[in-house]
Amino acid sequence: MTAWLSKRIPPAQQISLNRGNIFIFPSRFGALYLGLCLALFVLGTNYQNNLILLLGFFLLALMLVSLFASYLNFSGLSLQLGKLSNSYADSPILFPVWLETQDTNKAGKVHFAWYGTKTINTVELDNLTNPISLNSTAVQRGKYSPPRLTLSCYYPLGLFRCWTHIAFNCQVIVYPAPMAKPWPVTTKQCEQQGEQATHQFSMGSGLDEFDTLTEYQPGQPLYHVAWKQAAKGQGLLSKRFATEVQQSGWLVLNCADKELEENLSRLCFSCIELDAKGWVFGLELPGTCISPGKGQAHLQACLTALALFKAN
């Protein structure tokens, strides 16, 4: 079925509904209605009652008119996918869809559902507001393409169901789910003698620890002033913390073992934490190395590398 739909309705960025991608069939109510018409025809012919036959033919004609009205109301709709944002595994992914039509006489409700699932959103064509928010969830990291989107409508009398299964040509990068278990950071700092020292520590224990006292410089935050020493007459001294001493940091994954997904989740959490604290950090994975940097673009590059990483 999926392969046939891919040929019949190929993925696209913008899709217009027409006779090439619309399916129409009697609904459950329509099937009962058709059975009523058949029963009236049998009764009318059996008892030779023209009034019953006339009623049966009238109801059948009404059903045929409803067939064309259902198609004309559903066709002509245009759907376009809005701007997407990357997300994390096991977190909702928002897909904004813009529904437009040039015909102001459209009416009825249009139901949205991912292929094979229950309805997740319903909009009224005569009171349409854009965009239409659709949520989906990716279980695994990597590139995620949303399933086909099913649109259905029962307008005007509910006798027929018009529907389609469209697919948007898009992909979202799904980052590993952050695990609140910091990854050890390898840092490099320049000492006053010009030598370099390399050591490891856990983010949870060293990022905000007191380091030393230095002479207060005008413009430094007042909450860094060592007021106890000032009260003793030792002058204004400024507290210096470990976050100010560290110059750069590296998050290093040496090998891909059986705990790869857990390690990637920990690295994801550490990247977010380091970025929030203003660190200049780099990321090193087997076969991938991202130079130290900071900012939103650098964070996204690191998270993308974690999302797309594949063990050899």
Side-chain angles (χ1 to χ4, degrees):
M1 184 66 177
T2 304
W4 180 80
L5 282 174
S6 298
K7 295 181 180 179
R8 179 69 181 270
I9 312 175
Q13 195 67 25
Q14 183 174 3
I15 301 173
S16 297
L17 301 186
N18 50 52
R19 63 181 182 179
N21 52 29
I22 291 179
F23 309 98
I24 185 169
F25 201 77
S27 62
R28 292 182 180 179
F29 174 64
L32 295 175
Y33 184 93
L34 190 60
L36 174 63
C37 295
L38 181 60
L40 290 175
F41 176 77
V42 171
L43 289 174
T45 55
N46 186 44
Y47 292 101
Q48 296 182 355
N49 190 319
N50 292 331
L51 290 178
I52 296 179
L53 288 174
L54 181 62
L55 177 60
F57 291 144
F58 173 76
L59 294 178
L60 185 60
L62 183 63
M63 187 173 187
L64 293 177
V65 173
S66 177
L67 170 65
F68 289 100
S70 297
Y71 171 77
L72 292 176
N73 185 72
F74 196 59
S75 64
L77 298 179
S78 178
L79 296 101
Q80 184 175 2
L81 190 64
K83 185 178 180 180
L84 301 178
S85 300
N86 298 332
S87 184
Y88 298 91
D90 296 326
S91 297
I93 305 174
L94 178 63
F95 292 91
V97 177
W98 293 80
L99 179 62
E100 299 178 349
T101 177
Q102 297 180 352
D103 188 357
T104 58
N105 295 323
K106 300 289 185 182
K109 295 182 179 181
V110 177
H111 306 279
F112 291 79
W114 298 116
Y115 184 75
T117 63
K118 297 181 179 180
T119 300
I120 57 176
N121 204 340
T122 300
V123 298
E124 296 185 4
L125 294 180
D126 49 359
N127 189 24
L128 183 61
T129 56
N130 281 311
I132 302 166
S133 300
L134 304 174
N135 290 327
S136 182
T137 303
V139 179
Q140 297 179 344
R141 62 180 178 87
K143 294 182 178 180
Y144 176 76
S145 297
R148 285 187 172 269
L149 183 63
T150 301
L151 281 74
S152 60
C153 182
Y154 294 88
Y155 182 85
L157 301 178
L159 298 177
F160 289 92
R161 176 178 182 255
C162 288
W163 78 95
T164 185
H165 303 294
I166 62 174
F168 290 110
N169 187 17
C170 67
Q171 283 186 333
V172 176
I173 302 298
V174 179
Y175 306 137
M179 180 182 293
K181 187 178 179 181
W183 188 265
V185 182
T186 300
T187 62
K188 297 179 181 180
Q189 66 178 32
C190 297
E191 297 180 343
Q192 294 181 355
Q193 293 81 1
E195 299 178 352
Q196 288 188 344
T198 303
H199 65 281
Q200 291 189 354
F201 68 99
S202 172
M203 287 198 313
S205 61
L207 288 179
D208 295 320
E209 290 184 354
F210 172 76
D211 184 74
T212 185
L213 290 174
T214 60
E215 185 178 358
Y216 177 79
Q217 300 294 332
Q220 290 182 337
L222 292 178
Y223 56 81
H224 280 188
V225 174
W227 296 108
K228 291 184 178 180
Q229 282 74 14
K232 296 179 181 179
Q234 299 179 9
L236 289 180
L237 299 176
S238 178
K239 297 179 181 178
R240 196 171 185 182
F241 299 88
T243 50
E244 301 176 4
V245 177
Q246 307 302 329
Q247 299 299 319
S248 64
W250 282 90
L251 298 172
V252 181
L253 179 65
N254 294 319
C255 62
D257 52 17
K258 61 181 180 180
E259 297 180 351
L260 174 62
E261 297 302 324
E262 178 181 341
N263 293 337
L264 292 177
S265 295
R266 293 176 59 190
L267 285 167
C268 178
F269 175 81
S270 296
C271 288
I272 298 173
E273 288 295 305
L274 289 176
D275 178 75
K277 294 180 180 295
W279 269 56
V280 176
F281 66 95
L283 177 65
E284 184 176 347
L285 304 173
T288 303
C289 183
I290 299 178
S291 301
K294 61 185 300 185
Q296 190 65 25
H298 177 70
L299 175 63
Q300 290 185 359
C302 293
L303 296 181
T304 301
L306 294 174
L308 303 181
F309 176 74
K310 293 183 179 179
N312 297 328

